[in-house]
Amino acid sequence: MSTFTVKAFGTRASEANLEQMQIDRREVTAKDIEIDILFCGVCHSDLHTARNEWGGTIYPNVPGHEIVGRVTKIGEGVSKYKIGDLVGVGCMVDSCRECESCKEGLEQYCEKGNIQTYNGHDKHLNHQTFGGYSERVVVDEDFVLKIPENLDLAATAPLLCAGITTYSPLRHWKVGPGKNVGIVGIGGLGHMGVKIAKAMGAHVVVITTSSSKTEDAKRLGADEVILSTDGQQMKENAGKLHFILDCVSAQHDINAYLSLLKRDGALTLVGAPEHPLPVAAFSLLVSRKSLSGSAIGGIAETQEMLDFCGKHNITSDIELIRMQDINKAYERLLKSDVKYRFVIDMASLKGK
Ligand code: NAP
Ligand code: ZN
Ligand code: ZN
């Protein structure tokens, strides 16, 4: 298969910094689209993977799964996109397309395992997939999304992961008017969760460890804010919420958050800390509470989310960075010090 080389930023070992490298991309096949990457969001999953916190990272690793860019080339069988279109790519670039989950449009739960945008298995080139911290990417048109034209492009990139990862469970758990919804952890995912839950009509309660985020939380759309490090505030709010979306990236006491749920309330984990979280049986059984998880969203639902955000004028609050500043950005992510998503301006990698 013919390939071409592009500049990228990635890491060669779990303890190593990210650095510039060359990677190969396939020339478009019949159903492929080649995308000139304009912006790429920085998800905490990029950091977990680059540092092998979940295990299984194959090096070199080029992260990045919040990709927006412009179509520069299409295969002869492509029907959904044309050269010049603004498009997005999220966390997946393929799936088996035949299993029950794939047939239901839930490719993220593909029974054979979806193909992740990075650190997945590239069946064309028979090595790991490389993500969006790069100049260009080649993706099957079925895993490419249309970007609403009214939204700022850089601020739209985070919708491709942070947006869909929060939208999907909020929809699944029927969040809307009359529901008190808690969002825990106001980083990239959490701040999108606040905006989307508010647009769905819910009463939104932000639960944060950062007192510096309480004012912002209201601006983002929160009706109330609980500082989780304040035991008194946590006690006063016990039993008040119908649903909680937990977007925390590090170790935390999940039992404390479960105490905020009403009878029959549910907490869904989207945050994926490195180590298991202990759960006391009594945190669940006393008021028939549920604990569940959720992973990104299917392609059709991701398009639905983008259209929803286009309609409600929702984008991410971002800090635009240069590719060369990625290692500093990772250090700030670890300190919960980003308001609220880093987005890489890919012109910095292309030397423009
Ligand atoms: P992020 O921007 O770093 O935000 C994480 C937030 O968690 C922080 O801003 C902080 O919010 C809170 N936090 C951090 N340490 C904490 C602690 N020890 N106790 C309580 N709260 C703490 O990360 P992100 O990109 O939003 O990603 C969040 C998590 O979701 C990551 O683990 C990521 O891998 C995972 N993720 C999962 C999926 C999925 O499909 N399920 C998709 C994408 C990402 P406050 O300052 O408000 O406390
Ligand atoms: Zn992500
Ligand atoms: Zn499948």
Side-chain angles (χ1 to χ4, degrees):
M1 161 164 279
S2 51
T3 59
F4 62 98
T5 308
V6 297
K7 279 192 256 176
F9 247 70
T11 177
R12 297 187 189 280
S14 57
E15 332 67 56
N17 272 336
L18 277 78
E19 59 179 38
Q20 192 171 315
M21 53 181 65
Q22 300 276 334
I23 54 169
D24 56 339
R25 298 289 191 197
R26 65 179 180 275
E27 288 290 353
V28 292
T29 64
K31 292 266 285 158
D32 282 333
I33 289 175
E34 184 188 293
I35 302 163
D36 176 38
I37 302 176
L38 297 171
F39 299 102
C40 184
V42 178
C43 179
H44 208 113
S45 302
D46 300 353
L47 187 158
H48 288 305
T49 307
R51 300 189 176 179
N52 199 24
E53 290 176 355
W54 295 330
T57 303
I58 305 160
Y59 294 97
N61 171 249
V62 174
H65 59 205
E66 294 183 338
I67 299 168
V68 291
R70 210 174 272 288
V71 177
T72 45
K73 210 185 261 185
I74 58 173
E76 73 269 12
V78 166
S79 59
K80 297 177 188 159
Y81 299 96
K82 56 183 191 319
I83 290 172
D85 284 353
L86 281 178
V87 292
V89 177
C91 303
M92 300 179 286
V93 289
D94 212 341
S95 70
C96 89
R97 306 175 190 225
E98 288 168 353
C99 73
E100 218 172 287
S101 295
C102 284
K103 283 195 184 135
E104 286 180 39
L106 297 168
E107 301 89 353
Q108 76 275 33
Y109 303 123
C110 174
E111 286 150 33
K112 302 217 170 95
N114 70 65
I115 309 299
Q116 298 268 298
T117 304
Y118 58 81
N119 204 43
H121 179 70
D122 186 329
K123 67 180 181 198
H124 302 272
L125 302 179
N126 200 26
H127 58 52
Q128 70 272 40
T129 50
F130 296 121
Y133 296 3
S134 60
E135 294 178 294
R136 277 181 280 168
V137 66
V138 176
V139 183
D140 187 300
E141 67 166 338
D142 292 340
F143 284 76
V144 173
L145 288 308
K146 283 189 177 63
I147 300 295
E149 281 174 12
N150 57 316
L151 301 180
D152 176 77
L153 194 58
T156 299
L159 302 182
L160 275 307
C161 174
I164 184 59
T165 302
T166 51
Y167 181 89
S168 183
L170 291 171
R171 277 291 305 262
H172 181 78
W173 289 91
K174 301 189 171 46
V175 159
K179 293 279 171 70
N180 299 338
V181 175
I183 309 283
V184 186
I186 308 306
L189 264 56
H191 94 290
M192 289 312 308
V194 172
K195 292 186 186 203
I196 292 170
K198 188 69 192 171
M200 288 174 172
H203 180 85
V204 179
V205 180
V206 153
I207 305 154
T208 180
T209 60
S210 305
S211 54
S212 67
K213 294 180 185 171
T214 53
E215 274 311 304
D216 261 2
K218 301 231 165 109
R219 181 180 55 78
L220 294 170
D223 298 288
E224 292 179 57
V225 184
I226 302 172
L227 193 59
S228 55
T229 50
D230 180 337
Q232 187 59 28
Q233 286 189 34
M234 290 293 276
K235 220 178 261 170
E236 280 165 14
N237 285 285
K240 287 200 176 164
L241 304 176
H242 295 96
F243 179 71
I244 295 176
L245 191 64
D246 181 332
C247 306
V248 175
S249 52
Q251 287 322 104
H252 58 294
D253 178 13
I254 197 172
N255 302 288
Y257 299 100
L258 286 167
S259 74
L260 301 175
L261 289 174
K262 285 176 181 291
R263 172 177 52 79
D264 291 322
L267 183 149
T268 292
L269 289 169
V270 285
E274 184 178 357
H275 301 294
L277 302 167
V279 181
F282 284 101
S283 298
L284 296 171
L285 62 83
V286 170
S287 297
R288 200 163 56 186
K289 295 172 184 174
S290 307
L291 173 61
S292 64
S294 183
I296 48 171
I299 294 298
E301 194 176 41
T302 305
Q303 192 62 59
E304 178 188 305
M305 175 277 307
L306 285 166
D307 298 343
F308 176 91
C309 289
K311 188 168 151 221
H312 293 271
N313 221 355
I314 295 175
T315 53
S316 186
D317 286 26
I318 63 163
E319 283 190 48
L320 201 60
I321 61 166
R322 287 158 42 84
M323 186 72 259
Q324 293 78 1
D325 292 330
I326 189 68
N327 294 302
K328 278 185 244 162
Y330 277 13
E331 290 314 310
R332 284 187 51 200
L333 258 193
L334 287 173
K335 293 186 199 136
S336 304
D337 175 28
V338 49
K339 295 195 169 162
Y340 282 90
R341 194 58 137 188
F342 292 117
V343 171
I344 305 158
D345 182 352
M346 222 37 88
S348 59
L349 178 64
K350 298 169 194 160
K352 283 176 193 157

